[in-house]
Structure formats: structure tokens, C-alpha cells
Amino acid sequence: SLLQGCREALQRINHEGPRSFGVTSALRGEGRSSVAAGMALVEWMDHERRTVLIDLDLANPSLHQRFHLAAGPGIHDIVDGPSNVEDYLQRIVGDVWLLSAGPAQHEIPRVLSRFAGGPILSQLSEWADTIVFDLPPLLGSAAGIEATRLCETPVLVVRAGVTPIPLVKEAV
């Protein structure tokens, strides 16, 4: 099952201290959002960690739909000024929270830059035990590599038997 696969991946990573995972892929459609959501749920269910799932695929956000939550406010809204990040979080289940992308208002590079340089990540790191980023793909997206730099531990999702190996090599 997906959750068991996420559980095994997290055990292999075996990361101590504050936890920040960024789930990416070479291409769209490889299961990044499913794996990111699964990792967030496992962190809470198995370890009772307060977990924030961040939809950083700003061009094609999907997590709010997956969990039947509002599209915003989200990252596009919060980068414009001083805010309490907790006001932008939506509960998924238990102690798992979503920071959605929010409705697109700005150019994605600008949003990523402000998100990376502002107080949002430090606020989230203090508030949550684990942060899981749903990142854009590395290929075909200028934002993919930039967004991956925001997390401590990148996780590359590869759809076995579907994703061409040369593209996986190009992505890494």
C-alpha cells in the first residue's frame, strides 16, 4: 500500500531532529502528491508528530482538492506581508495540516524567493515537528530545482517501468 511504502521510505531516511522532506519527481504524473500526503500521514499516525504538508507546486496545486479543503488562502497570500502562518493552515486530520498554494496572484519565482527569504519557514519549523513539501517536478519546471532547495531531505519519486531512466538521470 501507499502508506506502507511511505513508512518504509521514512525508515530508510532515518532522520533525527527537526524533519523536513521535499517530495519531487523528474516529470509530472509520477505520484509526488500522493507520496507527500502519505509521508505526512505516516509522520502523524506512527510517530504522533505535528506535521504540515505544504503544496509548493504553485503552477499546479492539487492537495487542497485531494483533501476537500479550500484553495486558499495560502502561500500566494502569505508571502505579501507579516502574518501568523498558523492562520493559513487547514486541518487535514488529527495533527496533520495543509498550507495550500492559494490562488495564483504573483509570478512563481517571486513567490518562491519571498517564501524562502521570509519568516514563514522559520515559523513553521517552530510550530511543527515535521514539514513535508509537495514540490514541482525537476524537469519542465524552472521552479523545481529552486523549490527543492527549501527542504532538508529531498525525496525523488520515480514511477517504476514508466519514467525513462535517462530522464531520471537528467533530473538528478
Side-chain angles (χ1 to χ4, degrees):
S1 82
L2 174 67
L3 290 180
Q4 186 57 34
C6 292
R7 191 171 282 119
E8 290 171 11
L10 287 166
Q11 289 170 348
R12 285 190 180 116
I13 293 169
N14 192 24
H15 189 277
E16 297 297 323
R19 301 166 70 88
S20 165
F21 305 102
V23 182
T24 190
S25 61
L27 306 168
R28 291 203 176 280
E30 295 190 80
R32 288 172 294 109
S33 298
S34 297
V35 171
M39 290 176 81
L41 291 169
V42 167
E43 282 289 290
W44 169 66
M45 291 186 315
D46 291 6
H47 307 288
E48 298 180 352
R49 293 185 177 116
R50 177 184 284 168
T51 304
V52 175
L53 180 58
I54 300 176
D55 197 342
L56 212 53
D57 188 356
L58 301 174
N60 293 299
S62 64
L63 290 173
H64 66 282
Q65 294 169 330
R66 180 173 303 232
F67 293 110
H68 307 287
L69 297 170
I75 293 169
H76 279 280
D77 304 292
I78 199 171
V79 296
D80 276 332
S83 298
N84 182 356
V85 72
E86 292 173 45
D87 295 338
Y88 293 81
L89 299 177
Q90 300 179 71
R91 183 188 304 269
I92 295 173
V93 64
D95 218 2
V96 181
W97 303 81
L98 173 66
L99 176 57
S100 70
Q105 301 171 11
H106 309 291
E107 294 294 318
I108 291 172
R110 177 180 177 265
V111 173
L112 281 175
S113 175
R114 294 189 69 162
F115 185 74
I120 302 163
L121 285 176
S122 61
Q123 285 181 35
L124 285 170
S125 295
E126 290 175 20
W127 188 81
D129 301 313
T130 302
I131 299 172
V132 180
F133 296 90
D134 179 15
L135 301 171
L138 294 170
L139 302 177
S141 164
I145 293 171
E146 191 64 35
T148 302
R149 292 183 177 126
L150 297 175
C151 62
E152 294 171 7
T153 307
V155 177
L156 182 67
V157 174
V158 177
R159 195 163 170 202
V162 175
T163 308
I165 298 300
L167 290 179
V168 174
K169 290 180 179 180
E170 182 183 340
V172 296

